[in-house]
Amino acid sequence: MPLDQLRSAGGEPGRIHWAFVPSAGKPDGFALLLAELHEQLQAQGIIEAWATGRT
């Protein structure tokens, strides 16, 4: 997954959030990988469900 684009967003005046992103989009399995990772971290008590926006 090459991160070959740079995007910016500014929520507050004078502050810019820069992010490297893939131009071809995220691979299909990436969302599944993130979901499994969040599930395992929650199972271990490392993160709470509310912290990931999943309830």
Side-chain angles (χ1 to χ4, degrees):
M1 182 170 71
L3 302 176
D4 55 358
Q5 282 190 349
L6 186 60
R7 292 191 186 156
S8 66
E12 298 177 30
R15 295 187 61 101
I16 300 173
H17 172 78
W18 294 97
F20 285 99
V21 296
S23 62
K26 295 176 186 171
D28 293 336
F30 192 66
L32 296 172
L33 174 65
L34 288 179
E36 179 66 22
L37 178 61
H38 283 140
E39 185 178 313
Q40 293 300 319
L41 291 172
Q42 287 173 358
Q44 297 297 319
I46 295 171
I47 58 173
E48 300 292 330
W50 59 266
T52 63
R54 303 163 140 233
T55 55

